[in-house]
Amino acid sequence: MSATDIGTAGAGPRGARTEPPSPHAAFAPGAAPAAPSSRLLTLVELRKMTDTRSGRWVLAVIGLTMVGLTCLVVFAGDAGDRTSADIFLASQTGLSLLLPVVAIVAVTAEWSQRDGLTTFALVPARERVVRAKAQAGLVLAVCGIGVSALVTVGGHALGLATGNADGGWSIPLGLVATRVLDCAIAVFAGLAFGMLLGNPTLSILGFYAVPLVLGILGDTVSALDATMTWIDPGRALTPLSEEGGITGAEWAHLTTSTALFTALPFAGGLVRTLRREML
């Protein structure tokens, strides 16, 4: 075998040489991988909310709160508060209070170097990531309502077995619907504060401090009482936890407060997320 034959061995058919791949081939339009579907992106965000140490702890606390408040109503509540509807409302307390923390952690963790580089490199369209987080939060809220209903059934059965339940089994569908709406608003408010402030500690503090300060102002300054009825989220959301339904005035209060403390921060936070530089 001559030196020429050795040099051309493995180069393909005689007389033809295999050209090395172009370094730009990976960036050709046809070579780009397909963007993940909305469903897949939502499932990924849902797993990120539940399969992290912080997410698991928050969800565990929500579950313990559901069981604890249910037992409290069954064994220590007034006789008139031992209906399924009242047990259902009690079990919802921890969900509506703590579910926004999951949303805040999910959206603020995106700006850590590891998560940001991964997510926004795979899905550069950041509005798709935000939409997936909102959909995952809504799925989590609906699942939480379902778990709460199961805990209610168990609590009511325990109350009947121990002679501490007086009411029936039914939970009004209107009450379930308003609770779903309340949890959905809580998720969007958590995302809004997380995107707008960008820091988990600051976002959680702002989320809980705003209703607290407004409530204190309304209670201590009588001149502000009527105004706080419209803008205080704590007051506006209260009818969503009552069995009697919501009046037209209460819907107006709820819409105004939600626009000020959920929709407006969400819009501002979305703009900041889309324009924010990766440090």
Side-chain angles (χ1 to χ4, degrees):
M1 180 178 293
S2 66
T4 304
D5 294 335
I6 294 174
T8 57
R14 183 181 297 275
R17 297 182 62 85
T18 303
E19 296 293 335
S22 170
H24 302 290
F27 300 98
S37 65
S38 177
R39 176 175 172 274
L40 177 60
L41 205 54
T42 301
L43 290 176
V44 170
E45 295 299 334
L46 186 60
R47 179 170 182 179
K48 289 163 68 176
M49 287 182 178
T50 57
D51 199 14
T52 60
R53 183 179 301 176
S54 58
R56 287 195 293 267
W57 271 109
V58 175
L59 293 177
V61 172
I62 290 174
L64 291 174
T65 306
M66 282 185 183
V67 175
L69 291 178
T70 297
C71 292
L72 187 65
V73 171
V74 171
F75 294 108
D78 296 332
D81 296 335
R82 294 171 185 165
T83 63
S84 290
D86 289 321
I87 296 174
F88 178 69
L89 285 174
S91 66
Q92 290 282 301
T93 305
L95 183 66
S96 57
L97 280 178
L98 297 177
L99 195 58
V101 176
V102 178
I104 289 174
V105 172
V107 75
T108 53
E110 212 59 68
W111 292 101
S112 67
Q113 186 179 17
R114 181 186 59 187
D115 290 346
L117 289 177
T118 302
T119 303
F120 294 139
L122 295 174
V123 186
R126 297 180 183 180
E127 66 274 10
R128 291 195 63 204
V129 178
V130 174
R131 184 166 64 246
K133 289 183 184 297
Q135 292 171 347
L138 293 178
V139 170
L140 207 56
V142 172
C143 291
I145 297 288
V147 173
S148 175
L150 293 177
V151 171
T152 299
V153 172
H156 194 201
L158 180 63
L160 289 176
T162 56
N164 290 314
D166 299 331
W169 288 90
S170 64
I171 302 174
L173 291 179
L175 182 61
V176 176
T178 54
R179 294 307 307 154
V180 171
L181 177 60
D182 181 78
C183 289
I185 292 174
V187 168
F188 275 95
L191 291 174
F193 275 80
M195 290 191 296
L196 188 64
L197 301 178
N199 178 275
T201 305
L202 191 60
S203 302
I204 293 173
L205 181 63
F207 178 81
Y208 290 111
V210 169
L212 181 63
V213 171
L214 293 178
I216 293 174
L217 284 176
D219 292 338
T220 55
V221 183
S222 58
L224 296 176
D225 186 61
T227 304
M228 293 304 167
T229 304
W230 288 87
I231 65 175
D232 182 7
R235 293 191 187 186
L237 292 171
T238 298
L240 296 179
S241 301
E242 296 175 350
E243 297 183 54
I246 306 179
T247 65
E250 290 171 340
W251 276 118
H253 300 158
L254 177 63
T255 303
T256 304
S257 176
T258 303
L260 288 175
F261 293 100
T262 301
L264 194 59
F266 191 92
L270 181 60
V271 171
R272 189 188 182 202
T273 299
L274 297 181
R275 296 183 177 182
R276 189 174 177 181
E277 295 289 341
M278 191 70 66
L279 300 177

